[in-house]
């Protein structure tokens, strides 16, 4: 039988990596090739540049392939080494152990390279947005408030929560972070930043305009206040 997209503009697929199968993974009909590699990364920790994606014997390589090959209940096979893979630990009591970067845990990398903050993957010309996020992250008080807010209001579909979750992720990683959830939220909240050219490629956007939208949205969030316990002080953090 022919597999069709479901009527709610999405489909359920199975993503297989190694021996593990991730079933009922939702793919939207509007998702691009970059979106799908982001979803795969979140499940397998295989970075986009290492991913080899196979569907029905054919390789998924671009947005045109997505339209042709992604269907309801399809099996997506992923190949490529993931970022959490470590080498075998060798015991040597006569020499001090030398630990290479590839062998370090995320916490060890964070400590060793504290002066180098983790980067953000470019999800289709999102360098402008990554710059805004890194700029906001450098404001310590704001970053900590956002992280705390996202823990308390984890189910909120708001700028404060999405940005707070991303800040938490950035602070807990030493390598590159995939900002897929925030990018999808941002493009949905501000459709003008989701424009594509005639070839279907995400267009370049203005960083200052994106920064202004983020700050304005945070300022309008009446629950993003200085002190939740102070009934008299309901001033917005921004």
């Amino acid at each position: 039988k022919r597999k069709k997209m479901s009527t709610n503009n999405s489909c359920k697929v199975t993503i297989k990596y190694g021996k593990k199968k991730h079933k009922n993974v939702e793919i939207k009909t509007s998702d691009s090739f970059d979106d799908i590699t982001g979803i795969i990364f979140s499940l397998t920790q295989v970075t986009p540049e290492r991913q080899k994606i196979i569907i029905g014997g054919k390789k998924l390589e671009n947005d045109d392939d997505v339209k042709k090959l992604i269907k309801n209940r399809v099996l997506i096979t992923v190949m490529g080494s993931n970022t959490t893979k470590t080498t075998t630990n060798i015991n040597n009591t006569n020499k001090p152990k030398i630990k290479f970067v590839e062998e370090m845990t995320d916490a060890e990398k964070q400590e060793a390279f504290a002066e180098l903050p983790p980067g953000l993957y470019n999800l289709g010309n999102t360098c402008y947005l990554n710059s805004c996020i890194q700029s906001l992250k450098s404001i310590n008080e704001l970053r900590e408030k956002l992280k705390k807010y996202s823990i308390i209001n984890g189910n909120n579909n708001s700028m404060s929560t999405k940005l707070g979750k991303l800040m938490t992720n950035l602070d807990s990683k030493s390598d590159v972070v995939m900002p897929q959830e925030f990018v999808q939220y941002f493009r949905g909240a501000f459709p003008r930043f989701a424009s594509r050219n005639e070839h279907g490629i995400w267009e370049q956007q203005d960083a200052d305009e994106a920064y202004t939208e983020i700050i304005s949205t945070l300022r309008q969030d009446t629950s993003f206040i200085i002190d939740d316990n102070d009934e008299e002080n309901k001033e917005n953090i921004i």
Side-chain angles (χ1 to χ4, degrees):
K1 294 182 179 180
R2 186 179 179 183
K3 298 176 181 178
K4 299 180 179 180
M5 285 285 189
S6 59
T7 56
N8 61 350
N9 294 323
S10 68
C11 63
K12 301 286 187 179
V13 304
T14 297
I15 296 177
K16 182 178 181 293
Y17 177 63
K19 296 181 180 180
K20 188 169 184 179
K21 289 185 178 180
H22 302 273
K23 298 182 178 181
N24 296 319
V25 178
E26 184 176 4
I27 302 288
K28 297 178 181 177
T29 55
S30 59
D31 281 347
S32 65
F33 176 74
D34 291 330
D35 294 328
I36 291 174
T37 58
I39 292 171
I40 291 174
F41 173 79
S42 68
L43 295 172
T44 66
Q45 294 301 296
V46 179
T47 55
E49 67 272 12
R50 293 180 180 179
Q51 293 176 14
K52 184 177 180 181
I53 309 169
I54 305 297
I55 301 176
K58 297 181 180 179
K59 190 175 180 181
L60 190 76
E61 297 182 292
N62 51 49
D63 287 344
D64 287 337
D65 291 340
V66 171
K67 295 176 183 177
K68 295 176 184 176
L69 301 177
I70 298 294
K71 303 180 187 300
N72 202 32
R73 299 191 300 278
V74 77
L75 174 65
I76 300 175
T77 301
V78 179
M79 291 181 279
S81 58
N82 64 36
T83 57
T84 59
K85 194 173 184 180
T86 58
T87 58
T88 304
N89 182 36
I90 301 174
N91 293 320
N92 190 332
T93 57
N94 297 322
K95 296 180 181 179
K97 181 174 173 59
I98 298 175
K99 183 168 284 190
F100 295 96
V101 174
E102 292 81 3
E103 299 174 313
M104 292 181 178
T105 64
D106 283 339
E108 289 171 333
K109 289 179 184 177
Q110 187 79 355
E111 182 179 356
F113 302 109
E115 72 280 7
L116 297 175
L120 291 159
Y121 277 107
N122 189 326
L123 300 179
N125 280 331
T126 55
C127 50
Y128 72 96
L129 190 56
N130 292 349
S131 298
C132 296
I133 293 167
Q134 294 288 18
S135 178
L136 292 168
K137 182 179 181 292
S138 68
I139 306 172
N140 295 333
E141 184 179 2
L142 176 59
R143 182 182 71 248
E144 294 306 314
K145 289 289 187 182
L146 284 166
K147 287 164 60 178
K148 180 180 178 182
Y149 181 90
S150 68
I151 293 173
I152 298 172
N153 303 279
N155 294 325
N156 286 8
N157 187 34
S158 67
M159 176 71 73
S160 306
T161 295
K162 299 296 184 183
L163 194 54
K165 287 181 177 180
L166 181 54
M167 294 297 171
T168 299
N169 203 8
L170 283 167
D171 275 354
S172 63
K173 300 286 186 180
S174 60
D175 209 340
V176 188
V177 170
M178 180 72 69
Q180 181 192 359
E181 183 178 355
F182 182 78
V183 171
Q184 287 184 332
Y185 167 81
F186 186 81
R187 284 171 172 164
F190 308 104
R192 65 192 180 96
F193 290 97
S195 59
R196 300 173 186 255
N197 62 22
E198 63 273 17
H199 302 293
I201 299 173
W202 298 106
E203 292 185 315
Q204 297 276 1
Q205 303 292 342
D206 186 86
D208 184 61
E209 291 179 4
Y211 187 87
T212 300
E213 292 287 11
I214 292 172
I215 293 298
S216 176
T217 304
L218 291 175
R219 185 179 290 119
Q220 293 172 26
D221 188 343
T222 57
S223 63
F224 190 46
I225 56 178
I226 293 176
D227 190 351
D228 290 327
N229 298 319
D230 188 345
E231 292 297 329
E232 296 182 0
N233 187 2
K234 296 296 183 181
E235 185 178 355
N236 184 275
I237 290 172
I238 300 299

